[in-house]
Amino acid sequence: MLLLILVIPVLIYVFLQQFGSNSYAIPVFYEKGVESSLESCEFSEGQHYIPNFDMISQNKEKITGDVLENKISVVDFFFTSCPDICPVMSSELSRVNDFFKNNASVQILSFTVDPQYDTPQVLSEYAKEYEADANHWKFLTGEKEDIYSLARCGFLLPVQDGDGSNADFIHSEKIILVDGEKRIRGYYDGTDREEIDRLITEINILLGNYNS
């Protein structure tokens, strides 16, 4: 009996070492393509990748889709005059920025859906409110048609014009995680602190996968 008591923990330990390694897989979205009724979007067969784009940052730098390559990107669509969810989302993204500010492999891209108002100067002032370093957190503007097409057909978000009120843009509270191969790896509620905690966790897992 004493021998069994001593041997069983050893057997459990050996089993866990051999077969019990923990794993947490981050899904790859749209591996088999995109099924959508959006007539304005053209999707190729097979894995969906974020298409190329040309934007301008808060520092008036030209930013293209190449910025996504070989980096883990956190993406949202917002506008600076948004009275409700955007400030919450930006505050949560500020937490992400603080967590990864010393990691050059992680970046945040915030696209305005109100480019007429959100000039680079306006975006620069907004970025200062959240202590956003332009090397890690870029606020981007460009042609409205291009931004909306990118949101709908690239990141697959429901973005469209509003009704002309102060909340003139119907946009998504979703934050998107994109890997270094321009594939979507996750959607998160940008107004939910626990969802952002999950985002931070999954960024770390992706970093671990790349490092290994």
Side-chain angles (χ1 to χ4, degrees), residues 1 5 14 31 48 52 57 72 87 91 124-125 129 133-134 165 168 174 186 189 194 210-211:
M1 183 66 67
I5 292 174
V14 171
E31 286 186 283
H48 174 70
N52 195 28
S57 76
I72 295 172
S91 294
S124 179
E125 292 301 316
E129 292 182 32
D133 179 352
S165 64
D168 189 42
K174 294 299 182 184
D189 185 338
E194 291 185 1
Y210 282 126
N211 290 336

Side-chain angles (χ1 to χ4, degrees), residues 6 16 34 38 83 96 113 115 128 136 140 179 189-190 201 209 212:
L6 294 174
L16 290 175
V34 179
L38 292 175
V96 178
V113 294
K128 290 176 184 177
H136 296 284
L140 303 174
D179 66 20
D189 185 338
T201 298
N209 291 342
S212 62

Side-chain angles (χ1 to χ4, degrees), residues 47-76:
Q47 176 67 58
H48 174 70
Y49 298 95
I50 305 302
N52 195 28
F53 55 82
D54 289 287
M55 301 289 164
I56 301 295
S57 76
Q58 71 265 40
N59 288 348
K60 299 182 180 180
E61 296 176 300
K62 181 179 179 180
I63 305 296
T64 70
D66 293 342
V67 74
L68 297 172
E69 293 181 358
N70 302 316
K71 291 215 174 194
I72 295 172
S73 302
V74 178
V75 177
D76 77 313

Side-chain angles (χ1 to χ4, degrees), residues 2-198:
L2 180 61
L3 182 62
L4 286 174
I5 292 174
L6 294 174
V7 168
I8 287 174
V10 175
L11 292 176
I12 292 174
Y13 175 79
V14 171
F15 177 82
L16 290 175
Q17 287 291 98
Q18 295 297 320
F19 306 106
S21 59
N22 293 323
S23 62
Y24 188 106
I26 308 299
V28 178
F29 283 66
Y30 313 112
E31 286 186 283
K32 297 181 180 179
V34 179
E35 294 182 4
S36 174
S37 60
L38 292 175
E39 296 180 359
S40 60
C41 298
E42 294 184 5
F43 299 109
S44 58
E45 295 183 2
Q47 176 67 58
H48 174 70
Y49 298 95
I50 305 302
N52 195 28
F53 55 82
D54 289 287
M55 301 289 164
I56 301 295
S57 76
Q58 71 265 40
N59 288 348
K60 299 182 180 180
E61 296 176 300
K62 181 179 179 180
I63 305 296
T64 70
D66 293 342
V67 74
L68 297 172
E69 293 181 358
N70 302 316
K71 291 215 174 194
I72 295 172
S73 302
V74 178
V75 177
D76 77 313
F77 288 80
F78 82 113
F79 56 105
T80 62
S81 58
C82 169
D84 39 50
I85 68 172
C86 296
V88 178
M89 292 173 65
S90 295
S91 294
E92 290 300 323
L93 285 174
S94 182
R95 289 206 298 128
V96 178
N97 182 59
D98 289 343
F99 199 95
F100 296 103
K101 63 183 177 182
N102 295 321
N103 193 321
S105 296
V106 180
Q107 64 182 350
I108 303 173
L109 304 177
S110 293
F111 295 83
T112 178
V113 294
D114 184 8
Q116 183 174 359
Y117 179 79
D118 289 338
T119 63
Q121 182 177 354
V122 171
L123 292 176
S124 179
E125 292 301 316
Y126 188 85
K128 290 176 184 177
E129 292 182 32
Y130 295 94
E131 300 181 354
D133 179 352
N135 292 321
H136 296 284
W137 189 353
K138 302 182 190 303
F139 290 84
L140 303 174
T141 187
E143 295 295 327
K144 182 175 180 179
E145 183 178 353
D146 295 338
I147 295 170
Y148 278 53
S149 177
L150 182 64
R152 290 192 186 101
C153 307
F155 294 98
L156 305 173
L157 292 177
V159 180
Q160 57 187 346
D161 277 316
D163 58 6
S165 64
N166 289 334
D168 189 42
F169 297 92
I170 300 173
H171 56 106
S172 176
E173 78 283 357
K174 294 299 182 184
I175 289 172
I176 311 103
L177 178 62
V178 179
D179 66 20
E181 298 174 59
K182 300 185 178 182
R183 303 175 301 180
I184 295 174
R185 303 302 296 269
Y187 291 95
Y188 312 82
D189 185 338
T191 65
D192 186 327
R193 193 174 185 86
E194 291 185 1
E195 281 279 280
I196 301 306
D197 289 341
R198 179 170 70 89

